[in-house]
Amino acid sequence: NFMLTQPHSVSESPGKTVTISCTGSSGSIASNYVQWYQQRPGSAPTTVIYEDNQRPSGVPDRFSGSIDSSSNSASLTISGLKTEDEADYYCQSYDSRWVFGGGTKLTVL
Amino acid sequence: QITLKESGPTLVKPTQTLTLTCTFSGFSLSTSGVGVGWIRQPPGKALEWLALIYWDDDKRYSPSLKSRLTITKDTSKNQVVLTMTNMDPVDTATYYCARGLPISFWFDPWGQGTLVTVSS
């Protein structure tokens, strides 16, 4: 079964840059698009990156996504961190079924 | 503006069947490629995809839960219904519905979610 693995938590200071990884368990992560969702406490997920590196309208360009085939992983990078970025982030892809990563808690302190 | 909203019981007993309704607006489930999916999240845990129904009535289920799930749609009412049989306390979770987008297989936007507790 295809799985996506994320670090449980990351932390960084305001104004800095943080990268969250999402590693595919098998096959090629580049075979299907990867999305990233932000979930603030008590709220539903919202999309910050779709189709590997596309930003929905309204999402600031501080958010970017990429794929690294050599490590079979996707990454979400947030630059110029703000306290409002503190949230859980989930990667998601498709392998005959919709698959979510375990989520990464981002702390901005 | 696209919106989705989940409705259903907040408390069900073990062994009972859960029925949840997703009522949406701003898009049509008769549009080619579009789907509506259900995703759940146990308290403090990760998201888990459950099921999705496409505009053409094609239905997809999580392999681990397939025997317990049924998804249907009523296009005229803009509603999608998910039933889950034989509920157990481990099924306690917030259940979300979301529009499923083609090609890239992603969900956007999501409903606000509804917390379902399974307890006797």
Side-chain angles (χ1 to χ4, degrees):
Chain A
N1 272 354
F2 180 70
M3 293 178 10
L4 295 170
T5 300
Q6 301 179 233
H8 181 70
S9 63
V10 295
S11 62
E12 190 51 271
S13 304
K16 300 292 190 180
T17 296
V18 70
T19 297
I20 299 171
S21 63
C22 170
T23 303
S25 62
S26 61
S28 172
I29 200 166
S31 297
N32 287 288
Y33 287 116
V34 174
Q35 279 68 233
W36 290 91
Y37 303 97
Q38 177 192 68
Q39 186 179 34
R40 295 192 172 105
S43 296
T46 60
T47 309
V48 291
I49 294 290
Y50 67 98
E51 292 182 358
D52 296 342
N53 54 21
Q54 301 299 301
R55 278 189 315 277
S57 62
V59 174
D61 60 6
R62 301 185 296 106
F63 290 80
S64 63
S66 63
I67 298 292
D68 182 354
S69 296
S70 65
S71 59
N72 207 37
S73 64
S75 294
L76 172 69
T77 298
I78 311 171
S79 60
L81 275 170
K82 301 183 176 184
T83 55
E84 68 202 48
D85 299 330
E86 189 162 288
D88 293 327
Y89 291 85
Y90 292 90
C91 59
Q92 174 261 313
S93 190
Y94 178 82
D95 181 45
S96 301
R97 61 189 175 92
W98 287 260
V99 181
F100 289 91
T104 298
K105 181 177 181 59
L106 170 61
T107 302
V108 182
L109 40 63
Chain B
Q1 181 189 9
I2 294 173
T3 64
L4 304 96
K5 187 171 184 179
E6 308 85 353
S7 60
T10 58
L11 179 66
V12 297
K13 290 180 167 46
T15 75
Q16 286 187 336
T17 294
L18 171 68
T19 299
L20 294 172
T21 301
C22 176
T23 303
F24 57 88
S25 64
F27 69 98
S28 173
L29 200 40
S30 58
T31 300
S32 178
V34 173
V36 171
W38 286 93
I39 303 100
R40 71 178 179 179
Q41 183 175 38
K45 296 189 177 181
L47 301 166
E48 178 186 20
W49 169 70
L50 301 177
L52 182 136
I53 189 165
Y54 281 112
W55 86 104
D56 60 356
D57 211 39
D58 183 16
K59 300 166 186 177
R60 306 294 176 91
Y61 296 103
S62 167
S64 61
L65 292 166
K66 184 175 183 177
S67 64
R68 298 173 54 204
L69 296 173
T70 302
I71 190 169
T72 60
K73 65 181 176 69
D74 186 329
T75 305
S76 64
K77 292 183 179 180
N78 282 351
Q79 291 183 332
V80 170
V81 175
L82 180 76
T83 62
M84 180 179 291
T85 61
N86 194 25
M87 293 293 285
D88 183 272
V90 300
D91 297 312
T92 294
T94 296
Y95 287 76
Y96 297 98
C97 65
R99 183 183 62 161
L101 293 161
I103 303 176
S104 315
F105 302 105
W106 59 299
F107 297 105
D108 187 84
W110 297 51
Q112 65 187 27
T114 185
L115 175 62
V116 177
T117 301
V118 185
S119 175
S120 54

